[in-house]
Amino acid sequence: MNVINPATEEPIATLTEDDQQTLQDKWQRLKAAQPAWQARSLEARIAIVKQFSTLLEANKTTLSQVLTSEVGKPLAQSVNEINGAIGRINWLTANAVTYLKDEVMQQGPQMEERIVYEPLGVIANISAWNYPYLVGVNVFVPALLAGNAVLYKPSEYASLTGLEIERLWKEAGLEADLFLTAVGTGAVGALLLDLSFDGYFFTGSYRTGSAIYKKLAEKMVPCQCELGGKDPLYVTDAVTDIAAVAAATADGAFYNNGQSCCSVERIYVHEKNYEAYLAAFVKEVQSWKTGAPTESGVYFGPLTRKEQLTVLEAQIEDALQKGARLLTGGKRAAGKGYYFEPTVLTDVTAGMLVMKDESFGPLIGIMKVKDDEEAIVQMKDTEYGLTAAVYCTEQSRAERILQQVNAGTGYWNCCDRVSAALPWSGRQHSGFGATLSHAGLRAFTKPKAYHLKRE
């Protein structure tokens, strides 16, 4: 399997893909090693995870260069991702004892009622390429803290990073057969579904997640799916600094080239602020530098996947044919690499693909609305349900709007952010289950109830 640099379209590594036999061997090794890891104290497991975090910090320069070379994100954004992963690990290790230790629920003179959080066993983590550290840490860190062994399947577009992660776990002192990497395309991920894992945790598209969920139904084991989104954002008539709001929301739409699960994917603006917002938004986007992701100051590097260029072109063509207006961008950039001009469309309608289907690229549609009620109708018009955002001066107004939108996360005067202290979860076609927070720590456990009666 060739690893391609999306900025140059040149191969940078050749890896050997796993097959059915090598995956079976890895599963057996994990199965054999897991009981001893479960028997280790939680404090001992925390110490190894902390050492892994220390190694992320110490190797940040090399790790960010590897990440940029295979996914194409600007080097500064790769560094930011690793910093974010370290921050999440800090929260998870600091709170693991609180949420994974045994809980005595009732203590009487004769009867004690206790909950014990046992690990699932051996889990399969089929991960994503857009944020391999952040998305990975959400799963394999709490899984290991809870006493599980992990087979980590990075995306084929982030395989080198996956192998770096495995190397650092070993260097941190984790037994070699507790975290193993599966290398290959989606076909290798499909082979994992035939093995007897005790839980499956997938991050990716709705189409793939739906197929995985159906395939695993007969196994009756936990299956969590973090899928895509078509996240709405509403700028009301009540904002104090329209230029600042435009800059913040443009970043929410275009950071990491728009290749974020919680990127702002459609924007609704109150008619009072519409024209001023458009002007400020486009000015902000046009100020950002496009170039080689290793160059200083670059905001837009190449897309990771060549195929997404065609998706963006189709959405733009559909919108323009239906009456949308192009304010900037609109086409592939000339030259080598999977570059696409940052694109802003206005005069969009709900029936356009750009307002319905996930773009996952530097493309945004902006629609005018007359009031909150119209904005709510448009925000709710989706099969997805990951995040939603409202910008206004009144918190009560924002919460009233967000309560009516069926999404796992609501933002007031912010967007495109994740906190380790809060559950990360989707609704509808954005998936189900939760990572991060106490819910994410316990997602990798099976609670056992003890009724302990003294004679």
Side-chain angles (χ1 to χ4, degrees):
M1 183 182 78
N2 287 329
V3 178
I4 305 298
N5 183 330
T8 64
E9 302 185 48
E10 299 295 331
I12 55 175
T14 301
L15 302 175
T16 301
E17 292 192 71
D18 277 290
D19 56 27
Q20 189 171 23
Q21 185 58 56
T22 61
L23 293 175
Q24 177 73 28
D25 292 344
K26 288 178 179 180
W27 176 84
Q28 290 176 335
R29 289 161 57 192
L30 291 161
K31 196 76 171 175
Q34 188 273 329
W37 179 242
Q38 178 178 346
R40 297 276 294 274
S41 69
L42 177 55
E43 290 73 16
R45 298 198 294 265
I46 290 171
I48 288 179
V49 174
K50 285 184 174 180
Q51 180 59 24
F52 173 76
S53 179
T54 298
L55 291 172
L56 285 179
E57 178 66 44
N59 291 271
K60 191 177 355 182
T61 298
T62 299
L63 298 175
S64 59
Q65 290 169 344
V66 171
L67 179 58
T68 289
S69 73
E70 63 179 345
V71 305
K73 69 174 62 183
L75 198 54
Q77 295 184 19
S78 291
V79 171
N80 288 344
E81 179 179 347
I82 295 170
N83 287 336
I86 292 169
R88 291 186 192 180
I89 293 172
N90 289 343
W91 190 93
L92 290 165
T93 53
N95 289 275
V97 171
T98 300
Y99 297 117
L100 294 177
K101 278 288 192 182
D102 298 356
E103 287 186 289
V104 176
M105 305 305 293
Q106 193 159 276
Q107 182 78 63
Q110 287 190 306
M111 178 69 73
E112 176 184 312
E113 297 175 351
R114 184 193 310 162
I115 302 173
V116 174
Y117 294 96
E118 298 179 345
L120 297 176
V122 181
I123 67 129
N125 177 197
I126 304 173
S127 199
W129 51 262
N130 58 332
Y131 287 100
Y133 285 101
L134 291 175
V135 172
V137 159
N138 289 2
V139 174
F140 57 65
V141 166
L144 289 167
L145 287 170
N148 298 278
V150 178
L151 184 63
Y152 177 60
K153 164 64 177 70
S155 164
E156 61 267 37
Y157 300 100
S159 297
L160 299 179
T161 293
L163 293 171
E164 290 290 337
I165 290 170
E166 179 180 355
R167 177 181 67 82
L168 291 186
W169 277 120
K170 292 175 182 176
E171 191 174 334
L174 186 71
E175 185 180 335
D177 288 347
L178 288 171
F179 185 97
L180 297 174
T181 302
V183 174
T185 63
V188 172
L191 290 174
L192 298 179
L193 307 183
D194 295 324
L195 295 172
S196 299
F197 286 97
D198 300 302
Y200 292 81
F201 296 80
F202 169 74
T203 303
S205 70
Y206 164 72
R207 184 177 65 178
T208 303
S210 176
I212 289 173
Y213 190 41
K214 292 174 184 175
K215 173 79 172 179
L216 294 176
E218 294 181 355
K219 290 181 179 286
M220 299 293 287
V221 297
C223 171
Q224 281 196 189
C225 293
E226 180 190 327
L227 309 178
K230 194 65 183 174
D231 298 359
L233 182 146
Y234 172 38
V235 180
T236 69
D237 55 325
V239 292
T240 56
D241 187 340
I242 198 70
V245 170
T249 55
D251 188 56
F254 288 120
Y255 188 82
N256 195 32
N257 240 332
Q259 299 172 128
S260 303
C261 300
C262 56
S263 286
V264 176
E265 285 257 348
R266 48 200 173 103
I267 298 176
Y268 305 98
V269 184
H270 193 283
E271 60 186 9
K272 176 183 174 183
N273 287 322
Y274 185 68
E275 294 299 334
Y277 178 85
L278 284 180
F281 190 97
V282 172
K283 181 180 178 181
E284 181 70 18
V285 172
Q286 290 177 339
S287 73
W288 293 331
K289 180 180 177 181
T290 298
T294 52
E295 290 180 11
S296 176
V298 166
Y299 185 91
F300 290 107
L303 295 177
T304 303
R305 299 173 61 253
K306 184 177 183 179
E307 295 81 359
Q308 201 65 19
L309 298 170
T310 304
V311 173
L312 298 175
E313 289 173 332
Q315 289 192 357
I316 294 167
E317 181 180 2
D318 171 79
L320 294 177
Q321 287 180 350
K322 294 175 180 176
R325 184 160 49 98
L326 180 66
L327 297 185
T328 189
K331 62 182 185 300
R332 303 185 193 203
K336 283 280 189 179
Y338 310 145
Y339 291 88
F340 201 93
E341 296 176 348
T343 302
V344 180
L345 294 168
T346 189
D347 295 342
V348 293
T349 60
M352 296 176 183
L353 295 177
V354 71
M355 302 300 279
K356 295 194 304 180
D357 297 342
E358 191 172 28
S359 299
F360 224 66
L363 169 62
I364 193 70
I366 304 176
M367 181 188 296
K368 182 195 300 184
V369 293
K370 67 179 184 295
D371 53 28
D372 291 359
E373 283 62 42
E374 183 181 359
I376 291 167
V377 169
Q378 296 296 342
M379 293 172 80
K380 293 170 64 176
D381 185 20
T382 182
E383 296 178 333
Y384 293 97
L386 193 56
T387 80
V390 175
Y391 278 72
C392 67
T393 53
E394 297 176 37
Q395 181 175 347
S396 59
R397 179 180 177 184
E399 290 193 26
R400 179 185 67 82
I401 295 169
L402 292 170
Q403 285 166 1
Q404 298 178 67
V405 181
N406 188 22
T409 293
Y411 299 120
W412 174 47
N413 290 339
C414 59
C415 58
D416 188 31
R417 74 183 300 271
V418 180
S419 168
L422 298 174
W424 188 244
S425 61
R427 300 180 181 181
Q428 302 187 92
H429 286 187
S430 289
F432 50 87
T435 54
L436 300 176
S437 77
H438 69 282
L441 280 164
R442 289 178 174 171
F444 301 90
T445 68
K446 44 192 177 187
K448 178 177 285 185
Y450 279 87
H451 304 251
L452 306 171
K453 185 179 180 181
R454 297 178 180 83
E455 293 186 358

